[in-house]
Amino acid sequence: MRAALFSRDPLCVECRRQGRAVPATQRDHVIPLAEGGLDDESNEQGLCEACHDAKSTLEAQRGRRRTSGGR
């Protein structure tokens, strides 16, 4: 799945939104699996490592808020 994604779309989608052309190195779930996202082509995007790390940090923070009751 990873190779097919990078073949279709080799650039980081977040960097591209910001006008930069940076190769994607991480297969990312747009909607995280932990939040009900599917593990298929309709829910994947390529991100560079920096964008993936930033997105993962935000997702982890959301997860902690969910498990602590929003506190």
Side-chain angles (χ1 to χ4, degrees):
M1 291 177 87
R2 186 175 189 274
L5 169 63
F6 295 151
S7 177
R8 280 192 318 275
D9 195 0
L11 299 178
C12 171
V13 297
E14 186 58 35
C15 287
R16 195 170 52 227
R17 281 188 200 108
Q18 297 175 25
R20 299 187 313 259
V22 177
T25 59
Q26 307 290 317
R27 177 180 174 259
D28 178 69
H29 293 98
V30 176
I31 300 170
L33 300 177
E35 295 178 11
L38 301 174
D39 189 20
D40 68 15
E41 196 175 294
S42 71
N43 187 42
E44 68 180 5
Q45 63 184 354
L47 294 176
C48 68
E49 187 172 354
C51 289
H52 186 265
D53 289 350
K55 182 174 182 274
S56 294
T57 297
L58 292 173
E59 291 168 354
Q61 290 171 349
R62 280 198 314 263
R64 284 191 293 275
R65 281 194 300 269
R66 274 195 311 274
T67 59
S68 69
R71 290 178 272 173

